[in-house]
Amino acid sequence: MVEEVDVLMSNPYLETLAFFSVAILALILFLAIFEFVTKYNDWAEIKKGNVSVAMALGGKIFGICNIFRFAILNNDTILHSLIWASFGFVLLLVAYFIFEFLTPVFKIDQELERDNRAVGFLSLVLSVALSYVIGASVT
């Protein structure tokens, strides 16, 4: 069975499809986890036109995918890439809580729900920037 998988994964098109499929499924799972820890409903807020939530969610999507990019580049197998990307996601999630903790004068989730675009932009940039730092270390 392992030999058949190795033969299939030697095809660059199938390998790309496999990495892509795993990354999409993990992205959906990771976004669901982010949705669970926020105090608002991302998709309901976006449907209402909340740009701040859209920016914050866009930063999370970019951050997760960027971490996957580094994990795929630095690992030989899908399993190792998924393990490192998952570890990177946990670090990104921890960064979210640190961001909330380091802003005691206001609550990030409340400001995003109020469509505070400055907070939304900062959240986006923080997710993107940290994804590069995390990604550089997921080897």
Side-chain angles (χ1 to χ4, degrees):
M1 177 71 175
V2 173
E3 290 177 18
E4 290 89 7
V5 171
D6 288 340
V7 169
L8 288 174
M9 291 302 282
S10 67
N11 181 317
Y13 297 107
L14 292 177
E15 182 184 38
T16 300
L17 182 62
F19 276 108
F20 175 78
S21 300
V22 169
I24 291 296
L25 291 173
L27 176 64
I28 292 168
L29 174 66
F30 295 161
L31 287 177
I33 293 169
F34 263 126
E35 178 83 23
F36 180 74
V37 300
T38 56
K39 294 177 175 67
Y40 54 85
N41 183 317
D42 287 316
W43 302 109
E45 289 297 318
I46 290 170
K47 187 177 179 182
K48 290 191 295 188
N50 188 326
V51 176
S52 300
V53 170
M55 285 191 291
L57 185 62
K60 292 171 189 172
I61 291 169
F62 183 94
I64 291 166
C65 289
N66 195 38
I67 290 169
F68 258 102
R69 170 188 172 268
F70 281 101
I72 291 168
L73 285 173
N74 292 315
N75 292 284
D76 294 333
T77 66
I78 291 176
L79 179 60
H80 285 124
S81 296
L82 183 59
I83 290 168
W84 278 107
S86 298
F87 180 67
F89 166 74
V90 169
L91 293 177
L92 199 60
L93 189 61
V94 167
Y96 170 81
F97 289 115
I98 291 171
F99 181 40
E100 182 77 49
F101 177 74
L102 291 177
T103 55
V105 293
F106 60 86
K107 299 286 185 195
I108 302 298
D109 283 350
Q110 289 175 351
E111 293 301 315
L112 290 173
E113 194 170 14
R114 290 184 191 136
D115 201 13
N116 182 334
R117 294 182 183 170
V119 174
F121 181 73
L122 188 59
S123 180
L124 179 147
V125 170
L126 188 67
S127 292
V128 169
L130 288 177
S131 76
Y132 279 96
V133 173
I134 294 166
S137 65
V138 291
T139 61

